[in-house]
Amino acid sequence: MTLVTGFGIAIFGGSIIAIVVNAATGDSLSNPPSGVTLGGTFFQDLALIGASLLFAQFAGRPTPADFGLRLPGADLAADDGPARRTALKRAIGLLLGVWLSFYVFSGIWVALLSLHQRQQLPDELGINGAAINLVLAVFLVTVIAPLGEEILFRGYFFAALRNWRGFWPAAIITGLVFGAVHIGSSPIGFTVPLAFFGFGLCLLYQRTGSLYATIALHALNNSVALGLSQKWLLWQVVVVLIGSVLAALGIARLLARVLAQRAASGVPPLAQPAR
C-alpha cells in the first residue's frame, strides 16, 4: 500500500508539473524539458519518503530506530567504546563486501548478455546543460534518490515484510521490487543486477541494524555509476562520492532528530485505538 501511495502521489505530482509547464511554454508532454524531469523526479523521491513516514505514523509514533536511523552498534552500552568501534568497522567491511559482490555479479551479467545500453536518466535530467542543471541532477541522483529509496525500501517495506514473514522472503521480495521500479530509469537489461543490489542492501541492513550503512552504500554506488556514465575524471568522481555520502547521511541524521522529537513530544498517532 505504501509503495502504491508513494508512486501514485509521485505520478500525479509529476503530471501536474508537466501540464503546467506545457501550458506555460507549449513544450510537448512526450518530450518534456529537463527542468520538468528534474522537478518530477525530486517530487517522486519526496513522495516516497512522505508515504513511508505517513504509514508509519498510522501504526504509532515512529522513532528513528523504527527506520534503522541509528549507528551500527547503537544497541551496545554507551560506555563500551571498543565494541562500538568494532561494530562500525564490521559495518564498513560488510558495506564494501556487498558493493564488491554487486559489481562482480553485474560484470558477469553484462558479459553473459553482452549489454551495452547506456543510462539515459542523467541526460533527461539535463546534466550536460546549464551549471544549475548539473548541480541539481548530481544532488538528485547521488543524495535524494538514495535517501528516499532506502527509507522506503529498507527502512519501511523490507522491515514490515521481515516482521511478517522473516528475513529471506522479505529480502528477496524487496530486491525484486527494487529492481522492477527502476525499469524506465535504467536499461531493462540491468533490472536483475539492480534486484541483486536491492537484496544486498537488505542483507547489509539486517547485519548492521543501521539504515545509515545502506544509505551510504547507495550514495557511493550512484556516485560512481554517474561518474562512469559521464566519463568524469577520477578526482571529480571522488569529490562527488565524498560529498554525496556526507550530504545523504547529514539529511538522514536531521530526519532522525525530527522523528525523535516527535516521539518524545507525545504527538498522537494518526490511527487511534478504539476505546
Side-chain angles (χ1 to χ4, degrees):
M1 185 63 181
T2 307
L3 279 172
V4 175
T5 301
F7 283 106
I9 294 173
I11 293 171
F12 176 76
S15 300
I16 295 299
I17 292 173
I19 292 171
V20 170
V21 172
N22 172 256
T25 66
D27 290 314
S28 172
L29 293 179
S30 61
N31 187 28
S34 58
V36 173
T37 305
L38 270 169
T41 309
F42 263 111
F43 190 87
Q44 171 183 303
D45 289 315
L46 293 178
L48 298 183
I49 297 174
S52 301
L53 297 177
L54 176 64
F55 277 85
Q57 179 70 16
F58 278 114
R61 292 189 295 271
T63 66
D66 292 329
F67 282 95
L69 294 172
R70 58 182 185 174
L71 293 172
D75 54 342
L76 298 172
D79 58 350
D80 195 349
R84 285 175 172 263
R85 286 191 291 272
T86 298
L88 180 59
K89 292 177 181 178
R90 180 172 175 269
I92 294 173
L94 288 169
L95 182 155
L96 295 176
V98 170
W99 199 13
L100 178 61
S101 298
F102 168 59
Y103 270 95
V104 171
F105 180 87
S106 297
I108 294 173
W109 181 263
V110 168
L112 288 176
L113 273 65
S114 300
L115 298 176
H116 303 291
Q117 298 105 315
R118 180 175 175 272
Q119 191 175 30
Q120 299 300 316
L121 181 60
D123 295 332
E124 294 172 0
L125 296 174
I127 197 169
N128 294 313
I132 186 64
N133 278 59
L134 170 63
V135 172
L136 290 175
V138 170
F139 185 68
L140 174 61
V141 172
T142 66
V143 177
I144 299 301
L147 187 64
E149 291 177 7
E150 288 312 306
I151 289 174
L152 174 64
F153 286 104
R154 255 61 59 178
Y156 186 89
F157 188 66
F158 165 70
L161 286 177
R162 181 183 57 186
N163 292 338
W164 181 42
R165 285 290 185 246
F167 169 74
W168 288 103
I172 292 172
I173 293 172
T174 303
L176 291 174
V177 174
F178 181 78
V181 299
H182 284 84
I183 296 175
S185 61
S186 295
I188 193 168
F190 291 96
T191 302
V192 172
L194 285 172
F196 181 87
F197 186 50
F199 174 85
L201 288 166
C202 291
L203 180 63
L204 178 62
Y205 181 39
Q206 175 76 7
R207 295 294 179 86
T208 63
S210 173
L211 199 70
Y212 294 140
T214 69
I215 291 172
L217 176 52
H218 204 143
L220 284 170
N221 184 73
N222 282 18
S223 298
V224 172
L226 181 62
L228 292 176
S229 70
Q230 299 303 305
K231 299 181 180 179
W232 289 344
L233 298 176
L234 177 60
W235 71 267
Q236 294 173 315
V237 175
V238 172
V239 169
V240 171
L241 184 151
I242 295 173
S244 66
V245 171
L246 293 178
L249 292 179
I251 296 173
R253 291 286 286 177
L254 288 175
L255 178 59
R257 290 182 182 180
V258 171
L259 290 176
Q261 290 172 356
R262 286 182 60 84
S265 67
V267 176
L270 296 180
Q272 292 287 349
R275 295 181 180 277

